[in-house]
């Protein structure tokens, strides 16, 4: 009966590591081979076209149609030399992942043959038949068209035989339907607001970019075992499975040697990433068995987001070539760590200053403090929307479950910065300051140690941690599009910096000097944002109690967390920064609720099916074998002997029966709950019903299945077990 499982195991044991991909080319030669980057543009574009694209990247200027024709021709020439036959507009819909529709370059020609064609028109705009992408009610079916539009600030690249052009995705009536478009708007709002504030410190600053360095965690599982686990194959996570006797308790995996099969995969993935211009520089094991991490050097946020979306595709493709499946789900296995995607975030000026890095002089340090304190204010005001941005079905298994992210958003600063902020709060007067006070303050600010970088303590439990020269937004889930969090964070920071500028200017207008005005506003902000600061253990019960006292939001239910997107405060945030309209917010939230419902719905179905057609039959088979055994004992032995011998077996039969009966009953109850929930029309109410009345059965049913797994004859069990899934040899 258990053929599939054992066949898969046999396959796994016969695997030999694939040869390491070796290349005679240096990484620096490989780098960017598949990207239409600046050096390629210089080669394939006229000077005029090259400058137009560079202007679009650096200054956001528009590219006219004639130039677009030239760019398209250059791209096509390069792509065809690379053996490419197709092109696609590559975009990031709200369902997650990336979408593409491939078209061949060819077009019929007059003489009955074909010619390769790729015009500026095709580069700039396309209408994918996108009626199946969710629009949250914006696109009614009769005008089901949406269109994609070229984002020249992210370079085109080649995947397999296809030229991919990064694009935004918009409805026919102009509403934003993807992640990239609002991200670009948030980044542009931040640019403007941050430049205005930088002007207090340095008149040379004309552009500020957000920087993002993501750390991508993932699991690998052997493909054959994955195929033998329908729950993994259909939901990306295991819905059942008893703990492996050994899992992560020895912590022997973290930074341990990477197994050879995995190393071969990593090596090839690195090559692929480099060819695509993704600057991967770290790879290591993570805490859980079979869990790994990949991180690049940080980049401008829009590019970094594209690169993360792209690497998620490449990871899955390369994994298959090594007989692995790459699991990006936040919680593929119960009982061991889940996977996140830390988003390291900062801002940088065109004068090459990292705004979250302490300066070399008091002026630089005041600018640094300004940006740190304003970051705190932004997080303080919009903690609930930041939480919404990382909340979906997959990440809900981590949310508040004693691993990152906790359900309460707070910020960690470390002892050094905390001390500095305490001093500021203490020493700045509300009215005009005395010369002594000023001198003292200048000294304090000047003293922000440059060694801070190596000195920052790490807090691995904080959802938003300062790490010396950036904040690390650690709550993001491994399968997420980084843009979701980056849109909120950058928009919140933009809004905050505008408020800051206004506050400072108001004081300056009263005749107080600029530096002192800044100090006064910072002091007020330090007080105001105190409640979001927490340096202790974010998983502790003390923190939960303390956070309640502080009035921090501790909602852990995903459909309810999503409500934050539609609060008055949120609508104001997105409107004032021109990132999203109220209509767009409603549409997006609707999509998030729908997606949540669908995920739970699929999991419920898969769990129900597996319980009824894998687990229960195996339980019954085992039970029958026990019954036969007991009957045999009865025939062979005297009544007295039989009683003594059969006791344990009879207990076992009862136990197995009880689990089977309970599983059947609970599955039926879950199906009934689903039927009730399915009748609900309203997307929010439906998601809540799925969360409150369907999802709770998962753990319950699983408990009994896992007990059976432990009891039933190993030879009969059809599904690969955790101990088999979790250890790559
Ligand atoms: P750790 O695991 O200790 O957090 P990693 O080296 O794995 O550190 O990841 C740190 C990430 O932070 C890298 O992607 C790095 O490029 C990024 N990073 C460093 N400085 C900045 C910055 N100024 N802005 C954004 N990201 C940054
Ligand atoms: Mg990190």
């Amino acid at each position: 009966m258990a053929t599939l499982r054992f066949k898969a195991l046999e396959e796994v044991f016969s695997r030999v590591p694939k040869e390491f991909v070796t290349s005679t080319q240096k990484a620096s030669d490989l780098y960017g081979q598949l990207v239409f980057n600046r050096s390629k543009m210089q080669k394939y574009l006229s000077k005029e076209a090259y400058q137009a694209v560079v202007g679009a990247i650096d200054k956001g200027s528009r590219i006219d149609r004639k130039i677009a024709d030239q760019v398209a021709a250059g791209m096509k020439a390069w792509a065809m030399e690379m053996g490419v036959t197709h092109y696609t507009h590559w975009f990031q819909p709200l369902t997650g992942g990336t979408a593409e529709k491939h078209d061949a370059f060819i077009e019929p020609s007059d003489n009955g043959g074909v010619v390769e064609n790729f015009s500026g028109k095709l580069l700039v705009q396309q209408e994918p038949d996108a009626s199946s992408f969710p629009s949250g009610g914006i696109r009614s079916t009769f005008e089901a068209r949406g269109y994609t539009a070229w984002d020249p600030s992210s370079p085109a690249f080649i995947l397999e035989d296809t030229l991919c052009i990064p694009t935004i995705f918009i409805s026919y009536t102009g509403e934003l339907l993807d992640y990239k478009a609002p991200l670009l708007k948030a980044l542009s709002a931040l640019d403007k607001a941050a430049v205005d504030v930088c002007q207090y410190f340095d008149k040379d600053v004309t552009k500020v970019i957000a920087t993002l360095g993501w750390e991508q965690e993932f699991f690998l599982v052997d493909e054959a075992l994955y195929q033998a686990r329908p729950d993994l194959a259909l939901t990306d996570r295991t819905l059942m499975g008893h703990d492996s006797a050994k899992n992560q308790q020895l912590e022997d995996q973290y930074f341990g040697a990477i197994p050879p099969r995995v190393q071969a995969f990593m090596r090839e993935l690195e090559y692929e990433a480099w060819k695509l211009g993704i600057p991967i520089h770290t790879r290591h094991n993570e805490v859980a068995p079979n869990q790994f991490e990949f991180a690049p050097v940080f980049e401008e946020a829009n590019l970094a987001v594209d690169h993360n979306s792209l690497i998620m595709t490449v990871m899955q493709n390369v994994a298959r070539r090594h007989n692995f499946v790459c699991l990006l789900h936040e919680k593929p296995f119960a009982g061991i760590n889940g996977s996140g995607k830390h988003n390291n975030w900062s801002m940088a000026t065109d004068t090459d200053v990292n705004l979250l890095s302490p300066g070399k002089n008091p002026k630089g340090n005041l600018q640094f403090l300004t940006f740190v304190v304003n970051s705190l204010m932004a997080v303080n005001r919009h903690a609930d929307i930041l939480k919404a941005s990382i909340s979906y079905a997959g990440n809900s298994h981590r949310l508040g479950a004693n691993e990152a992210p906790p359900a309460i958003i707070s910020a960690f600063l470390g002892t050094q910065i905390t001390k500095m902020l305490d001093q500021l709060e203490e020493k700045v007067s509300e009215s005009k300051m005395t010369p002594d006070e000023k001198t003292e303050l200048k000294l304090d600010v000047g003293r922000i140690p440059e060694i801070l970088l190596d000195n920052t303590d790490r807090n691995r439990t904080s959802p938003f941690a300062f790490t010396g020269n950036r904040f690390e937004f650690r709550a993001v889930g491994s399968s997420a599009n980084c843009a979701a969090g980056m849109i909120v964070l950058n928009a919140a920071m933009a809004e905050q910096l505008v408020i800051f500028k206004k506050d400072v200017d108001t004081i300056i207008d009263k005749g107080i000097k600029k530096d002192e005005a800044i100090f006064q506003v910072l002091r007020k902000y330090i007080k105001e944002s105190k409640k979001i600061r927490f340096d202790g253990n974010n998983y502790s019960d003390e923190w939960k109690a303390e956070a309640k006292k502080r009035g921090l939001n501790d909602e852990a239910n995903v459909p309810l967390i999503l409500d934050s997107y539609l609060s008055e405060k949120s609508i104001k945030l997105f409107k004032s920064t021109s990132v999203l309209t109220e209509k767009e917010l409603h549409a997006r939230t609707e999509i998030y609720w729908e997606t949540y419902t669908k995920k739970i719905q699929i999991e419920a179905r898969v769990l129900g099916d597996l319980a009824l057609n894998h687990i229960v039959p195996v339980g019954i088979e085992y039970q029958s074998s026990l019954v036969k055994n007991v009957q045999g004992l009865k025939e062979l032995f005297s009544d007295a002997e039989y009683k003594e011998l059969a006791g344990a077996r009879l207990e076992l039969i009862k136990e197995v029966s009880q689990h089977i009966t309970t599983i059947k009953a609970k599955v039926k109850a879950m199906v009934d709950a689903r039927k009730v929930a399915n009748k609900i029309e309203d997307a929010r109410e439906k998601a809540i019903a799925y969360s409150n009345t369907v999802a709770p059965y998962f753990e319950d049913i699983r408990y009994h299945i896992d007990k059976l797994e432990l009891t039933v004859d190993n030879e009969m069990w059809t599904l690969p077990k955790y101990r088999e899934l979790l250890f790559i040899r």
Side-chain angles (χ1 to χ4, degrees):
M1 187 157 178
T3 45
L4 194 54
R5 170 171 163 233
F6 287 102
K7 210 173 134 260
L9 282 170
E10 229 169 78
E11 234 178 290
V12 174
F13 286 124
S14 68
R15 300 240 195 263
V16 278
K18 262 190 74 168
E19 288 211 3
F20 283 28
V21 176
T22 43
S23 167
T24 47
Q25 281 174 296
K26 286 192 303 227
S28 53
D29 294 334
L30 282 173
Y31 197 79
Q33 227 173 50
L34 300 175
V35 186
F36 197 61
N37 53 20
R38 289 189 190 211
S39 70
K40 252 79 136 243
M41 285 197 275
Q42 267 173 334
K43 187 166 163 210
Y44 289 89
L45 299 184
S46 67
K47 205 166 177 187
E48 189 191 14
Y50 173 76
Q51 270 160 1
V53 179
V54 169
I57 299 171
D58 293 343
K59 301 199 180 69
S61 52
R62 285 193 155 274
I63 293 176
D64 70 36
R65 187 49 66 81
K66 235 179 61 217
I67 297 283
D69 277 333
Q70 287 188 33
V71 177
M75 263 185 203
K76 188 188 79 178
W78 166 68
M80 285 179 56
E81 272 176 40
M82 299 287 291
V84 165
T85 49
H86 289 66
Y87 66 91
T88 184
H89 274 199
W90 182 81
F91 61 102
Q92 301 171 43
L94 293 169
T95 32
T98 54
E100 40 201 87
K101 174 189 161 234
H102 297 198
D103 286 306
F105 282 129
I106 54 170
E107 247 179 34
S109 66
D110 293 343
N111 61 7
V114 292
V115 290
E116 275 86 6
N117 182 38
F118 184 55
S119 64
K121 187 166 156 262
L122 295 174
L123 165 66
V124 171
Q125 192 172 317
Q126 263 191 41
E127 283 183 26
D129 177 22
S131 48
S132 54
F133 288 106
S135 71
I138 281 180
R139 260 181 301 117
S140 49
T141 33
F142 65 88
E143 48 162 52
R145 284 182 304 178
Y147 63 89
T148 50
W150 179 34
D151 167 20
S153 67
S154 182
F157 56 89
I158 294 171
L159 254 192
E160 320 268 318
D161 60 355
T162 303
L163 172 69
C164 300
I165 296 144
T167 53
I168 56 173
F169 179 39
I170 313 173
S171 80
Y172 196 56
T173 43
E175 282 87 11
L176 315 184
L177 297 176
D178 70 343
Y179 283 111
K180 186 190 260 292
L183 176 67
L184 288 171
K185 292 188 168 205
L187 294 173
S188 149
L190 177 76
D191 176 11
K192 188 169 177 319
V195 166
D196 284 349
V197 169
C198 284
Q199 290 288 313
Y200 286 138
F201 308 98
D202 182 356
K203 295 277 179 219
D204 289 340
V205 173
T206 65
K207 189 173 169 70
V208 171
I209 57 165
T211 51
L212 166 63
W214 41 263
E215 301 164 55
Q216 177 72 54
E217 292 178 341
F218 60 97
F219 280 87
L220 289 177
V221 55
D222 192 279
E223 193 183 18
L225 296 172
Y226 170 93
Q227 297 298 3
R229 288 284 308 220
D231 49 350
L232 262 185
L234 296 174
T235 73
D236 296 330
R237 74 178 183 105
T238 54
L239 299 170
M240 56 194 68
H242 196 278
D243 282 348
S244 167
K246 174 181 188 291
N247 51 42
Q248 66 187 47
Q249 44 309 53
L250 294 177
E251 299 191 352
D252 49 356
Q253 146 95 354
Y254 196 47
F255 286 120
I258 299 179
R261 275 185 69 196
V262 178
Q263 254 191 59
F265 155 80
M266 291 275 205
R267 185 74 73 91
E268 189 173 336
L269 181 55
E270 250 165 13
Y271 277 116
E272 292 298 327
W274 290 338
K275 282 196 272 180
L276 286 162
I278 306 173
I280 296 294
H281 81 140
T282 314
R283 48 172 153 143
H284 61 76
N285 290 354
E286 268 303 323
V287 180
N290 272 14
Q291 194 187 27
F292 308 93
E293 179 188 295
F294 240 56
V297 179
F298 70 91
E299 300 175 285
E300 184 278 324
N302 175 42
L303 188 60
V305 167
D306 281 2
H307 279 166
N308 182 252
S309 296
L310 179 56
I311 200 86
M312 290 197 283
T313 305
V314 176
M315 285 165 87
Q316 322 235 18
N317 295 347
V318 175
R320 290 289 171 135
R321 296 208 281 270
H322 291 258
N323 300 308
F324 287 130
V325 174
C326 170
L327 303 177
L328 292 167
H329 194 282
E330 286 68 19
K331 196 77 183 173
F333 304 101
I336 56 174
N337 273 32
S339 300
K341 171 152 51 198
H342 303 168
N343 278 203
N344 294 272
W345 169 82
S346 187
M347 291 146 287
T349 66
D350 55 352
T351 53
D352 261 345
V353 171
N354 173 359
L355 292 169
L356 291 177
S357 191
K360 294 210 163 48
N361 50 40
K363 196 170 81 177
N365 282 343
L366 184 55
Q367 176 172 287
F368 160 72
L369 284 174
T370 296
F371 279 88
V372 169
V373 173
N374 276 293
S375 303
L376 287 179
M377 282 294 280
V379 173
N380 182 47
R381 183 175 308 116
H382 293 304
D384 54 343
I385 315 178
L386 271 174
K387 185 159 73 179
S389 78
I390 55 99
S391 293
Y392 48 90
N395 218 15
S396 70
H397 301 283
R398 303 168 71 226
L399 210 63
N402 277 357
E403 64 176 293
I408 303 156
I409 298 284
S410 64
F412 164 89
L413 286 180
T415 43
Q416 309 259 354
I417 302 290
T418 302
K419 219 158 74 197
M420 188 64 227
L421 296 195
D422 289 347
Q423 278 170 3
L424 267 183
E425 197 186 331
E426 228 171 76
K427 287 184 181 153
V428 178
S429 326
E430 254 165 283
S431 53
K432 246 182 149 133
M433 290 163 72
T434 65
D436 274 0
E437 279 175 328
K438 277 187 197 164
T439 319
E440 215 177 319
L441 204 71
K442 275 227 169 87
L443 277 176
D444 281 341
V445 174
R447 261 190 239 124
I448 297 180
E450 272 185 53
I451 42 166
L452 186 72
L453 260 183
D454 311 313
N455 248 349
T456 35
D457 19 3
R458 287 302 186 100
N459 183 325
R460 303 243 171 231
T461 68
S462 175
F464 196 75
F466 184 71
T467 53
N469 61 357
R470 61 189 187 268
F471 276 102
E472 188 171 341
F473 187 26
R474 309 178 74 253
V476 182
S478 49
S479 72
N481 187 314
C482 302
M486 283 294 121
I487 291 166
V488 178
L489 186 56
N490 289 295
M493 189 65 177
E495 179 195 59
Q496 174 54 38
L497 290 171
V498 169
I499 297 172
F500 172 75
K501 174 106 175 48
K502 225 194 260 155
D503 285 349
V504 172
D505 286 350
T506 308
I507 299 180
I508 293 177
D509 287 346
K510 288 184 192 146
I512 289 184
K513 279 225 166 84
K514 183 183 75 189
D515 280 2
E516 194 177 334
I518 292 173
F519 275 127
Q520 283 188 13
V521 174
L522 289 185
R523 174 180 187 256
K524 184 175 133 233
Y525 285 0
I526 290 168
K527 282 189 184 196
E528 229 175 288
S529 61
K530 218 172 217 168
K531 74 171 199 290
I532 204 76
R533 273 160 57 189
F534 179 65
D535 277 13
N537 178 2
N538 282 257
Y539 305 158
S540 68
D541 289 333
E542 292 79 45
W543 170 230
K544 283 173 197 152
E546 165 70 17
K548 226 180 189 76
K549 262 197 252 157
R550 295 190 192 181
L552 296 178
N553 177 318
D554 63 354
E555 184 58 64
N557 181 285
V558 171
L560 295 178
I561 289 172
L562 291 171
D563 283 341
S564 309
Y565 270 127
L566 300 176
S567 69
E568 215 173 292
K569 186 171 60 112
S570 168
I571 292 167
K572 191 167 149 243
L573 162 70
F574 290 111
K575 197 173 160 197
S576 75
T577 48
S578 304
V579 171
L580 290 165
T581 64
E582 189 172 344
K583 185 176 172 194
E584 285 163 344
L585 273 175
H586 275 281
R588 296 172 96 84
T589 313
E590 185 108 351
I591 292 169
Y592 296 143
W593 279 319
E594 275 170 15
T595 309
Y596 177 87
T597 296
K598 281 183 193 153
K599 292 269 182 194
I600 305 293
Q601 198 171 46
I602 293 169
E603 289 185 352
R605 282 179 156 166
V606 172
L607 178 59
D609 286 0
L610 283 183
L612 297 185
N613 58 37
H614 272 65
I615 309 301
V616 168
V618 168
I620 291 175
E621 191 196 358
Y622 180 57
Q623 193 191 31
S624 304
S625 76
L626 289 173
V627 169
K628 226 197 228 147
N629 177 283
V630 170
Q631 281 167 342
L633 291 179
K634 194 157 191 160
E635 272 172 32
L636 285 176
F637 293 98
S638 70
D639 272 5
E641 278 172 314
Y642 164 78
K643 259 199 184 126
E644 202 189 315
L645 288 170
R649 291 167 181 76
L650 290 171
E651 273 307 305
L652 206 51
I653 293 173
K654 256 200 239 157
E655 205 183 294
V656 170
S657 290
Q658 274 160 0
H659 288 309
I660 292 173
T661 310
T662 317
I663 290 169
K664 285 203 73 161
K666 301 250 176 199
V667 168
K668 182 170 182 316
M670 178 174 73
V671 172
D672 290 343
R674 228 169 66 215
K675 283 185 183 151
V676 174
N678 285 344
K679 291 215 175 73
I680 302 173
E681 291 276 338
D682 181 76
R684 176 178 181 273
E685 294 300 322
K686 195 172 186 168
I688 292 173
Y690 262 91
S691 166
N692 292 344
T693 66
V694 179
Y697 281 108
F698 293 0
E699 279 305 300
D700 224 8
I701 295 171
R702 173 185 190 139
Y703 172 82
H704 293 279
I705 294 178
D706 292 356
K707 284 281 175 214
L708 274 184
E709 183 190 317
L710 204 60
T711 315
V712 166
D713 182 354
N714 184 51
E715 296 284 321
M716 290 179 183
W717 200 253
T718 58
L719 299 172
K721 299 183 171 183
Y722 268 29
R723 62 166 188 254
E724 293 151 358
L725 291 165
L726 278 174
F727 295 93
I728 289 171
R729 287 152 196 96

